[in-house]
Amino acid sequence: MQHRSLGSQGLTVPAQGLGCMGMSFAYSGQDDQESKATILRALDHGATFLDTADMYGPWTNERLVGRALAGRRDEVTLATKFGNEVDEDGNLAGRINGRPEYVRRAVDGSLQRLGTDHVDLYYQHRVDPDVPVAETWGAMSELVQAGKVRYLGISEASPDTIRAAHATHPVTAVQTEYSLFSRDPEDNGVLTTCRELGIGFVAYSPLGRGFLSGRIRSIDDLPADDWRRNAPRFQGENFDRNLAVVDRVHELAEDKGVTASQLALAWVLAQGEDIVTIPGTKRRTYLDENIGAMDVGLTRSDLDAIEEVAPRGVASGQRYDERGMQTVNV
């Protein structure tokens, strides 16, 4: 497994990690035994950068990851997040909380559920518009000093917010959605800011929430309780337009002798040595396929062909509904 430096503070991680959200949250078909087996398979592949959050479940995903890592914690770079408030009963409160007292409570809960004494990378999951980021990051910096956290990151933040956080405590990683369907970081200044400040970039949903795999041919392929049914890109005419793009990506992948997922992942990794992907899956078969992307080399001709079929802004529909879009690039 190839490794890359994440940020300039000394953290090195596999170029491809594993997003664990879908094992417990948003998508249907949870199977804890298969998910645990998938996590362990990821470790065997060397994909030892695991990503979770307290809101996934809530809480259940951190517990699942903690159980899976029993006896193998030292092999892993473990990332979790806070900010989408979870109340004391384990329910999503429907708001973002960046207050220092909440930061301290959230990390202690995560450590307990993960069964560890420290988190390697702790993200502010979403930015609280009512709390200055310096206040939130002041509390996060205290967690580093206390040894509860090694490195700090932020998710879906604007360039100005990234700069303000970095001025308070070095930001090791910015996590944002990035794929052939979501190229916003190229246009909104986030990638440029990360590179200027020496911050690593973690691409979540690098397969467009599974759309780019080519396995979703109809909205009926998604179970009734799957979150994606409410996502704009999976609805109505947007779905049809996006599927047409996926089919063109699939054709390029076939010509190269790889799967559409592998081509899409290889494209993200080819956008810079400072970029790491965390494709999510809860099945070993898809994990093995995703890991195969590490062996896909893209030539200049390949990249040009991909750009032709999937240029910036090619996806139809926003990546979240209106309420969700209000919480990104804050």
Side-chain angles (χ1 to χ4, degrees):
M1 172 65 72
Q2 176 191 145
H3 283 67
R4 294 183 171 183
S5 295
L6 200 57
S8 50
Q9 288 80 51
L11 180 61
T12 300
V13 299
Q16 185 180 131
L18 176 62
C20 299
M21 180 193 78
M23 297 175 178
S24 311
F25 184 73
Y27 302 162
S28 62
Q30 278 78 36
D31 180 339
D32 284 358
Q33 287 303 112
E34 177 62 18
S35 292
K36 179 179 178 181
T38 299
I39 291 171
L40 296 178
R41 177 77 67 87
L43 303 193
D44 293 340
H45 277 300
T48 55
F49 181 33
L50 302 186
D51 185 271
T52 182
D54 58 2
M55 74 164 289
Y56 300 159
W59 293 353
T60 54
N61 193 243
E62 287 185 324
R63 289 174 177 144
L64 170 66
V65 171
R67 291 195 301 272
L69 295 182
R72 301 188 68 173
R73 171 66 180 93
D74 291 345
E75 300 176 38
V76 172
T77 300
L78 185 57
T80 193
K81 317 178 197 73
F82 78 94
N84 291 287
E85 185 176 343
V86 183
D87 67 24
E88 294 184 358
D89 296 320
N91 301 306
L92 286 173
R95 58 180 173 266
I96 297 168
N97 193 337
R99 296 192 300 273
E101 61 271 23
Y102 182 72
V103 176
R104 299 182 190 106
R105 177 164 67 87
V107 74
D108 286 342
S110 289
L111 292 173
Q112 188 275 326
R113 289 184 292 273
L114 290 164
T116 186
D117 63 357
H118 73 280
V119 172
D120 297 298
L121 178 58
Y122 198 46
Y123 291 102
Q124 183 177 8
H125 202 167
R126 290 294 187 272
V127 176
D128 186 341
D130 299 321
V131 177
V133 72
E135 289 187 21
T136 304
W137 274 67
M140 293 170 68
S141 182
E142 292 173 4
L143 302 181
V144 177
Q145 296 169 23
K148 295 181 179 181
V149 172
R150 293 179 63 213
Y151 300 96
L152 300 180
I154 196 165
S155 179
E156 293 288 4
S158 69
D160 286 347
T161 298
I162 294 168
R163 291 180 186 281
H166 193 68
T168 304
H169 184 100
V171 179
T172 292
V174 169
Q175 182 178 139
T176 294
E177 185 171 352
Y178 188 46
S179 71
L180 287 171
F181 271 1
S182 297
R183 296 178 62 176
D184 312 38
E186 298 175 19
D187 298 322
N188 61 18
V190 168
L191 266 175
T192 299
T193 301
C194 287
R195 286 167 174 163
E196 178 186 332
L197 299 177
I199 298 170
F201 186 92
V202 177
Y204 78 83
S205 292
L207 295 176
R209 305 189 186 280
F211 215 148
L212 287 160
S213 72
R215 286 186 284 268
I216 303 170
R217 309 298 304 171
S218 161
I219 193 67
D220 294 328
D221 290 336
L222 299 175
D225 59 346
D226 194 299
W227 170 87
R228 290 171 290 186
R229 280 180 169 267
N230 299 312
R233 289 182 179 170
F234 288 82
Q235 295 179 334
E237 293 182 356
N238 288 339
F239 186 100
D240 296 333
R241 294 192 188 101
N242 292 330
L243 183 60
V245 177
V246 170
D247 286 342
R248 296 184 71 188
V249 172
H250 180 72
E251 290 173 2
L252 293 179
E254 278 196 326
D255 290 343
K256 197 166 178 64
V258 301
T259 69
S261 292
Q262 290 169 340
L263 189 73
L265 287 169
W267 178 87
V268 176
L269 290 168
Q271 301 313 298
E273 290 294 321
D274 53 348
I275 295 175
V276 169
T277 63
I278 49 168
T281 184
K282 51 183 177 285
R283 296 185 179 92
R284 284 169 285 180
T285 53
Y286 297 154
L287 172 75
D288 293 343
E289 178 184 352
N290 292 344
I291 292 293
M294 298 303 303
D295 297 323
V296 178
L298 298 180
T299 65
R300 184 68 261 168
S301 178
D302 292 329
L303 292 170
D304 289 344
I306 294 169
E307 184 70 26
E308 183 176 346
V309 304
R312 295 183 188 184
V314 72
S316 293
Q318 298 186 123
R319 52 198 182 101
Y320 292 105
D321 62 18
E322 289 300 331
R323 182 178 180 186
M325 290 302 296
Q326 291 173 8
T327 69
V328 302
N329 200 34
V330 177

